[in-house]
Amino acid sequence: MLKRFQSLANPNEVYKDVRKIAIIDVGSNSFRLIVITYVPGYHFQVTDEVREAVRLVQGLGQTGFMRAAPMDHAVETMQLYAGFCKASEITDIAAVATSAVREAKNSAPFLERIKRTSGIDVRVLSGEEEAYYGYLAAENSTTLRDGYVLDLGGETISLTLGAVRTTEEWLSEAPASKSAVTRLRKHIRDQLEALPWFKVAPKTRLIAQGGSLRNTAHIVQKMNDYPLDELHGYLLKSSDLRHAIEEMEPLSVEKRQQIPGMKFDRADIALAGAIVIDECMRYADYERLTVCSQGLREGVFYERFLAENKPPIFEDVRRASVMNVAHLYHYQASHVEHVEHLALSLFDQLKDDELCGNNERALLWAACMLHDIGMTIDYNDHHRHGYYLILNSGLPGYSHRELALIALVVRYHRKGMPESGNLGSILEKDDDKRLLKMTALVRLAEQLDRSRDGSVKDVRLSISGDLAQMEIVSPVDVSVAIWSAQRHVDIFQAAFGKTLEFIPVTV
Amino acid sequence: MLKRFQSLANPNEVYKDVRKIAIIDVGSNSFRLIVITYVPGYHFQVTDEVREAVRLVQGLGQTGFMRAAPMDHAVETMQLYAGFCKASEITDIAAVATSAVREAKNSAPFLERIKRTSGIDVRVLSGEEEAYYGYLAAENSTTLRDGYVLDLGGETISLTLGAVRTTEEWLSEAPASKSAVTRLRKHIRDQLEALPWFKVAPKTRLIAQGGSLRNTAHIVQKMNDYPLDELHGYLLKSSDLRHAIEEMEPLSVEKRQQIPGMKFDRADIALAGAIVIDECMRYADYERLTVCSQGLREGVFYERFLAENKPPIFEDVRRASVMNVAHLYHYQASHVEHVEHLALSLFDQLKDDELCGNNERALLWAACMLHDIGMTIDYNDHHRHGYYLILNSGLPGYSHRELALIALVVRYHRKGMPESGNLGSILEKDDDKRLLKMTALVRLAEQLDRSRDGSVKDVRLSISGDLAQMEIVSPVDVSVAIWSAQRHVDIFQAAFGKTLEFIPVTV
């Protein structure tokens, strides 16, 4: 049924239909149901999540059978999920199972039992399908085009290195003895020898997924007092990883549970998971990897959401991320696109500035599109709310440094001199200057369109030495726009070292 | 045209029509256009604002004429507003003018000029109408039922004490000399003698509105490092007010502009405004007043939004506030109302607890309704996002202490021991205990409905000494619900001093 749609946060938009899908990941370590609410071709967001630590893979290694207790727990969980979907009026349910169910000898009766008690059909993925969905998620949420996607959530195609099984078989005691760790590391290296192609190459990146990886990355973030509460896009350095491993090795499980960032029910398997990651990085010679918090579940979704693309991949992941966030919040397309037009026009006319290259242009574009989203929370301080929303919604495809810069430009798009605050530690050399330049351009563009009617058609910059003259081209009187922009010549001066004057030009 | 409506942030809701109105306040000191987007009977929010410091009243006192320069600025501003409305596709425009236009001798040609150049009809309000709208705003955004509404934005019915005029006539020089201040204070007291009824009475409150008042309150908040960035509902103490006045008196205008919290274009008139407030409080013997950041503009809106109520006042302002915020964000009515049902049922069964009275019940109710709104930003950490949204959206009708408690319950509704953090300074004695109790109940209720299907129909508490047994009443198997709730017995123990056990009861 087509439902005409208009978001309260986006009163200018009318949508055709809003849909919900529940994707259930019948995993080896945990079951997870996510609900994604989406408008085809326009927007999507995870709107609910129910996770259960079921541990189907427990004991599987020795016997080849899934054990009774985790199976009972699995059946109860699927019934809970069925009730959840019914109460939430979700009829579109995609349940997929991975390596534990795939390999177990007693899968068939188990799946029948689930079908009988919860009504849910579970599709068992082959190793290749599982890897495909993980890859789809990585391609659609990062800018990986050449490199490797390492999924440590369950198992890879040819290796058996999941954290639960590895702990059971190689590191069942905690604290971990040096000899046990040595044996484990050798085991991992032996396994990796089967993948001679897995080696760092110029311009390639290593992306990693999975609960184990996320848990490890979270621990490292806490260790380093990382200023962002965002795992996706985080650059994990091998040196930090080794530091975390050294922390965990001498501790009992109870003490590991106390480690900041440790997920309570992963405390026993976290060390093995971290060592697997470490050995993979050493083997392929990568000193860093990018955390991808999306995986199988999102991959299943993208296959559906992007069904019209062959393959189902965003043409431009970064653009899709920005528009996705913009479409969730207050987004007045005409004003925002006009600010974009003016700011980018000015940027392009400042091309001699060495900090105004293509990368900066992309960030400036994102800041323009998102600068007013904070109005959804409150008009007052909407610049601060926008900063919060950008940092907490995240922008897949952007590095954390880029995310920080975009959020800071939005934070300062109205007034004040930009300061990076606690985000300074993730910025790079000269980013304070980049921030200043981008902020100056967004602010001027905003002031020139404060009537929100696009009456300032164009801006033409003429620069001579320390003087910059900006022609304000419009068919109507622009004295109010100029008077507003005039109050912000100081930031232009600070950013570009030039005195700014405005010249109205009527066309 | 009826548009079927569904908010992306609220996929379960379908609305009939979303409307926008632009309300233009042709004020004595500043012009302000606000856009309110609303669904009749359901939700409203200010979604845009354009303020111009026009100062129509400048020089009016001496001649009775509005002067050419501010009138030119006014005309340009109204043209800007007309262009804005056109670009935003807003056809519903309500423009009202107050004391400067009302009193000036040259109003008629001025209004004709505005009509001619911008197309906007401006309705000039009588003093009574102006006061009425201010009162309507106060009644609909606070719990004032007996007391006074003091509007310092323009003028009251019978007094001429607006900040601009008062500065011009009594405090035109800065720093302010002691004699000038003394003469001003006497002038104000003389004016107030016309209002012998304006005197504090038991159980009455003083609510104050207006730009001058907000500016003063903001300065005081900054002086005191106030932990909330919210003016509405702020309790301004006369002692703090006097401190702010002492700060300003010896300063030049430029130095006053530096005072944290000072609005740039109010720096010259702020002292007079603060002294007027001070003298009013002294006169009526109020040691504190409540800041109401809503005024004339919102009053004009309420008259329309609540047209079906006679008079146009919310039956329950606090309930309306909570539902208004809930309807803006992710709001799954069935789950939220079920958590409300379970949490309040438990609360009612704990009535012997001296910190579980009616006031606390109302706060618990609000926290239940709002506990999941943070999911709009991101499922992860939605408890933290909910905390941010509540504090920054605000809840008219709730005191700041109550707002903080509600936000903190939401912050901790998933895990962890509640801590008031920097909000501690606005809490009262035993609020840490109240917080703990409310958090415990919301958390248990949330866990009991984590399947989100309302399958736990009721909870019945039996208490004997240090033991509390909770019967979980349901027609279906509730082992997962009990298993989830079991993990949070510690907070119940901490809050109520009782060991908690769960007993499933099938009905």
Side-chain angles (χ1 to χ4, degrees):
Chain A
M1 171 184 144
L2 288 186
K3 293 188 287 273
R4 285 193 73 69
F5 175 93
Q6 185 159 335
S7 159
L8 196 60
N10 285 297
N12 301 327
E13 301 293 340
V14 177
Y15 304 79
K16 289 232 174 90
D17 60 345
V18 179
R19 306 185 194 183
K20 289 202 281 189
I21 178 171
I23 295 165
I24 299 173
D25 176 0
V26 178
S28 304
N29 185 40
S30 52
F31 281 25
R32 200 183 300 250
L33 175 153
I34 60 171
V35 176
I36 298 186
T37 303
Y38 64 105
V39 175
Y42 191 77
H43 170 87
F44 66 95
Q45 187 191 27
V46 173
T47 49
D48 235 320
E49 192 172 318
V50 190
R51 178 181 178 271
E52 288 291 324
V54 177
R55 295 246 175 129
L56 270 186
V57 77
Q58 201 152 40
L60 181 64
Q62 292 96 343
T63 62
F65 286 108
M66 291 180 290
R67 306 298 296 269
M71 282 200 294
D72 285 347
H73 192 180
V75 167
E76 271 170 6
T77 301
M78 295 303 278
Q79 284 176 300
L80 182 147
Y81 287 166
F84 173 98
C85 290
K86 184 155 181 267
S88 311
E89 294 176 4
I90 299 170
T91 49
D92 191 4
I93 302 173
V96 293
T98 53
S99 61
V101 177
R102 180 167 62 236
E103 296 171 31
K105 297 171 189 167
N106 54 351
S107 294
F110 171 67
L111 295 174
E112 276 169 32
R113 187 178 162 200
I114 284 182
K115 171 71 178 172
R116 207 172 49 245
T117 51
S118 71
I120 298 175
D121 289 300
V122 178
R123 173 182 153 212
V124 183
L125 302 179
S126 67
E128 284 84 0
E129 287 173 318
E130 185 181 345
Y132 170 70
Y133 285 123
Y135 148 82
L136 210 55
E139 285 288 303
N140 279 315
S141 64
T142 70
T143 49
L144 176 78
R145 289 297 176 260
D146 282 296
Y148 301 101
V149 178
L150 193 59
D151 179 0
L152 295 138
E155 316 292 337
T156 65
I157 295 180
S158 28
L159 309 182
T160 310
L161 286 172
V164 178
R165 240 188 281 207
T166 308
T167 301
E168 282 183 349
E169 293 170 23
W170 299 89
L171 274 187
S172 52
E173 286 179 14
S177 69
K178 284 207 179 326
S179 52
V181 169
T182 305
R183 281 196 300 274
L184 167 60
R185 286 183 177 275
K186 182 171 189 314
H187 166 71
I188 300 169
R189 286 194 303 268
D190 290 345
Q191 293 270 311
L192 287 168
E193 305 256 307
L195 310 172
W197 41 265
F198 179 38
K199 211 72 182 162
V200 70
K203 293 189 192 300
T204 65
R205 293 165 56 200
L206 181 61
I207 307 266
Q209 302 167 314
S212 205
L213 182 277
R214 288 195 303 273
N215 188 39
T216 302
H218 197 208
I219 291 167
V220 168
Q221 282 187 343
K222 292 290 188 195
M223 253 174 40
N224 294 345
D225 265 323
Y226 195 67
L228 279 190
D229 217 344
E230 183 75 25
L231 286 173
H232 186 83
Y234 178 58
L235 274 178
L236 180 62
K237 291 192 277 201
S238 53
S239 51
D240 286 334
L241 177 56
R242 278 154 214 164
H243 188 175
I245 290 168
E246 284 162 20
E247 279 258 326
M248 282 191 268
E249 278 175 347
L251 300 180
S252 64
V253 171
E254 286 75 20
K255 285 251 154 44
R256 289 179 196 170
Q257 278 169 356
Q258 311 295 326
I259 294 174
M262 175 70 75
K263 215 175 177 65
F264 178 82
D265 52 34
R266 282 193 179 270
D268 52 342
I269 60 175
L271 176 58
I275 289 174
V276 169
I277 300 166
D278 185 35
E279 284 296 327
C280 288
M281 291 177 81
R282 286 178 195 259
Y283 179 84
D285 252 325
Y286 279 100
E287 284 181 15
R288 43 175 64 182
L289 62 74
T290 303
V291 175
C292 174
S293 63
Q294 299 194 15
L296 170 67
R297 296 175 286 278
E298 288 83 2
V300 169
F301 172 73
Y302 287 125
E303 188 180 51
R304 182 185 301 243
F305 186 71
L306 297 170
E308 294 183 3
N309 295 14
K310 311 286 180 202
I313 294 175
F314 287 116
E315 283 164 23
D316 183 333
V317 170
R318 286 149 67 103
R319 185 186 172 83
S321 283
V322 169
M323 297 317 296
N324 200 29
V325 171
H327 288 161
L328 176 61
Y329 300 112
H330 185 88
Y331 176 66
Q332 285 199 311
S334 54
H335 165 68
V336 164
E337 284 163 23
H338 201 70
V339 166
E340 171 201 10
H341 164 66
L342 296 176
L344 292 182
S345 170
L346 288 172
F347 184 92
D348 293 338
Q349 296 176 67
L350 287 156
K351 59 192 178 327
D352 292 334
D353 191 307
E354 61 178 10
L355 293 180
C356 290
N358 281 338
N359 293 335
E360 288 81 7
R361 194 182 198 277
L363 300 185
L364 178 61
W365 171 80
C368 288
M369 302 316 280
L370 300 175
H371 76 278
D372 272 346
I373 60 173
M375 290 214 211
T376 302
I377 294 180
D378 196 22
Y379 179 82
N380 285 323
D381 285 337
H382 69 269
H383 54 295
R384 282 201 306 115
H385 304 325
Y387 171 86
Y388 183 91
L389 291 176
I390 290 167
L391 290 182
N392 286 285
S393 296
L395 290 174
Y398 286 89
S399 71
H400 282 195
R401 165 193 166 258
E402 295 173 319
L403 183 72
L405 283 168
I406 294 167
L408 285 164
V409 174
V410 170
R411 168 77 181 73
Y412 288 98
H413 82 273
R414 294 171 85 190
K415 55 188 179 180
M417 277 293 153
E419 287 172 358
S420 52
N422 70 329
L423 297 182
S425 60
I426 61 178
L427 297 185
E428 294 173 3
K429 179 174 172 294
D430 288 337
D431 274 352
D432 54 338
K433 298 190 179 68
R434 290 183 180 90
L435 175 57
L436 193 54
K437 293 172 196 286
M438 290 189 287
T439 304
L441 297 184
V442 176
R443 194 178 298 176
L444 285 169
E446 172 84 336
Q447 293 299 322
L448 290 174
D449 194 49
R450 68 183 299 236
S451 62
R452 309 207 164 214
D453 59 4
S455 57
V456 172
K457 299 292 171 217
D458 272 302
V459 281
R460 296 196 287 246
L461 260 187
S462 305
I463 297 172
S464 173
D466 286 345
L467 176 66
Q469 285 195 334
M470 194 186 295
E471 287 186 322
I472 310 296
V473 181
S474 171
V476 300
D477 173 31
V478 289
S479 23
V480 175
I482 288 180
W483 175 81
S484 307
Q486 189 65 48
R487 288 167 54 182
H488 297 278
V489 296
D490 56 339
I491 193 175
F492 187 91
Q493 167 84 41
F496 298 100
K498 307 197 188 298
T499 305
L500 182 58
E501 291 184 346
F502 300 97
I503 317 285
V505 171
T506 312
V507 291
Chain B
M1 171 183 144
L2 290 184
K3 293 187 287 272
R4 287 192 71 67
F5 173 95
Q6 186 158 337
S7 159
L8 195 59
N10 286 295
N12 301 325
E13 302 293 341
V14 178
Y15 305 79
K16 289 234 173 90
D17 59 346
V18 179
R19 305 185 196 183
K20 290 201 283 188
I21 178 173
I23 295 164
I24 300 173
D25 176 359
V26 178
S28 304
N29 186 39
S30 51
F31 281 24
R32 201 181 298 249
L33 176 152
I34 61 172
V35 176
I36 297 186
T37 302
Y38 65 104
V39 175
Y42 192 77
H43 170 88
F44 66 95
Q45 189 191 26
V46 174
T47 50
D48 235 320
E49 193 171 319
V50 189
R51 177 182 179 272
E52 288 290 324
V54 176
R55 296 243 176 130
L56 270 187
V57 77
Q58 201 151 39
L60 181 62
Q62 290 97 344
T63 62
F65 287 107
M66 291 180 289
R67 306 297 298 267
M71 282 201 293
D72 284 349
H73 193 181
V75 167
E76 269 169 9
T77 302
M78 295 302 277
Q79 284 176 300
L80 180 147
Y81 287 166
F84 173 97
C85 290
K86 183 155 182 270
S88 311
E89 293 174 4
I90 299 170
T91 50
D92 192 4
I93 302 172
V96 293
T98 52
S99 62
V101 176
R102 178 167 65 235
E103 296 171 29
K105 298 173 189 167
N106 53 351
S107 294
F110 171 67
L111 294 174
E112 273 169 34
R113 186 176 163 202
I114 284 182
K115 171 72 178 172
R116 207 170 51 243
T117 51
S118 71
I120 298 175
D121 289 300
V122 178
R123 173 182 154 213
V124 182
L125 303 179
S126 67
E128 285 83 0
E129 284 173 322
E130 185 180 346
Y132 170 71
Y133 285 123
Y135 149 83
L136 210 56
E139 285 288 304
N140 278 316
S141 63
T142 70
T143 50
L144 177 77
R145 290 295 177 261
D146 281 296
Y148 301 101
V149 178
L150 191 61
D151 178 1
L152 294 139
E155 317 291 337
T156 65
I157 296 179
S158 30
L159 309 182
T160 311
L161 287 171
V164 177
R165 239 188 283 207
T166 307
T167 302
E168 282 184 350
E169 293 170 22
W170 298 89
L171 273 187
S172 51
E173 287 179 12
S177 70
K178 284 205 180 324
S179 54
V181 169
T182 305
R183 281 194 301 274
L184 168 59
R185 286 183 176 274
K186 180 168 190 316
H187 166 70
I188 299 168
R189 286 194 300 267
D190 290 344
Q191 295 271 310
L192 288 169
E193 306 255 306
L195 311 172
W197 42 264
F198 179 39
K199 210 75 181 158
V200 69
K203 297 191 189 302
T204 65
R205 295 165 54 199
L206 180 62
I207 308 266
Q209 304 165 314
S212 206
L213 183 273
R214 289 196 300 273
N215 188 38
T216 303
H218 198 210
I219 291 168
V220 168
Q221 283 186 341
K222 291 290 188 193
M223 253 172 41
N224 294 345
D225 265 323
Y226 195 66
L228 281 188
D229 216 345
E230 183 76 23
L231 286 173
H232 187 83
Y234 178 60
L235 274 179
L236 179 63
K237 290 192 279 201
S238 51
S239 51
D240 286 334
L241 177 57
R242 277 156 216 164
H243 187 175
I245 289 170
E246 285 163 19
E247 279 257 328
M248 282 189 269
E249 278 176 348
L251 299 180
S252 64
V253 172
E254 286 77 19
K255 285 249 153 43
R256 289 178 195 171
Q257 278 169 357
Q258 310 297 325
I259 294 175
M262 176 69 76
K263 213 173 177 67
F264 178 82
D265 53 33
R266 280 194 178 271
D268 52 342
I269 58 175
L271 176 58
I275 289 173
V276 168
I277 300 165
D278 185 35
E279 284 296 327
C280 289
M281 290 177 83
R282 287 179 197 257
Y283 180 84
D285 253 326
Y286 280 100
E287 284 181 14
R288 44 174 64 182
L289 61 77
T290 304
V291 175
C292 175
S293 61
Q294 299 194 15
L296 170 67
R297 295 176 288 279
E298 288 82 2
V300 169
F301 171 74
Y302 286 126
E303 187 179 51
R304 182 183 301 242
F305 185 70
L306 298 171
E308 294 183 3
N309 293 14
K310 310 287 181 204
I313 294 176
F314 288 116
E315 282 164 24
D316 184 332
V317 170
R318 286 149 66 102
R319 185 186 175 84
S321 282
V322 169
M323 297 317 298
N324 201 29
V325 171
H327 289 162
L328 176 61
Y329 299 110
H330 185 88
Y331 178 66
Q332 286 197 313
S334 55
H335 165 68
V336 163
E337 283 162 24
H338 200 70
V339 167
E340 170 201 12
H341 165 65
L342 296 176
L344 292 183
S345 170
L346 289 171
F347 183 92
D348 291 339
Q349 296 175 67
L350 285 157
K351 59 191 177 328
D352 293 334
D353 190 307
E354 62 176 12
L355 292 180
C356 289
N358 282 338
N359 291 337
E360 288 80 9
R361 194 182 199 278
L363 299 186
L364 178 61
W365 170 82
C368 289
M369 302 316 279
L370 299 176
H371 76 278
D372 273 345
I373 60 173
M375 289 211 211
T376 303
I377 293 181
D378 196 23
Y379 179 82
N380 286 324
D381 285 337
H382 69 268
H383 54 294
R384 282 203 305 114
H385 304 325
Y387 171 86
Y388 183 91
L389 291 177
I390 290 168
L391 290 183
N392 286 285
S393 295
L395 290 173
Y398 286 89
S399 71
H400 282 194
R401 166 193 165 255
E402 295 173 319
L403 183 72
L405 282 169
I406 294 166
L408 284 165
V409 174
V410 170
R411 169 76 181 75
Y412 288 99
H413 82 272
R414 295 172 84 190
K415 56 188 178 183
M417 276 296 151
E419 286 172 0
S420 52
N422 69 330
L423 296 182
S425 60
I426 61 179
L427 297 185
E428 292 174 4
K429 180 173 171 294
D430 290 338
D431 275 351
D432 54 336
K433 298 191 178 70
R434 289 183 180 90
L435 175 57
L436 193 54
K437 294 171 195 285
M438 290 189 287
T439 302
L441 298 184
V442 175
R443 195 178 297 175
L444 286 168
E446 171 83 338
Q447 293 301 320
L448 291 173
D449 195 48
R450 68 183 298 236
S451 62
R452 308 208 166 214
D453 60 3
S455 58
V456 172
K457 299 292 171 218
D458 273 301
V459 282
R460 294 196 289 245
L461 261 185
S462 304
I463 297 176
S464 174
D466 286 344
L467 176 65
Q469 286 194 336
M470 194 186 295
E471 288 186 321
I472 309 297
V473 182
S474 172
V476 301
D477 174 32
V478 288
S479 24
V480 175
I482 287 180
W483 176 80
S484 305
Q486 188 66 46
R487 287 167 55 181
H488 296 277
V489 295
D490 56 339
I491 192 174
F492 188 91
Q493 167 85 42
F496 298 100
K498 305 196 189 300
T499 305
L500 182 58
E501 292 183 347
F502 300 95
I503 319 286
V505 172
T506 312
V507 293

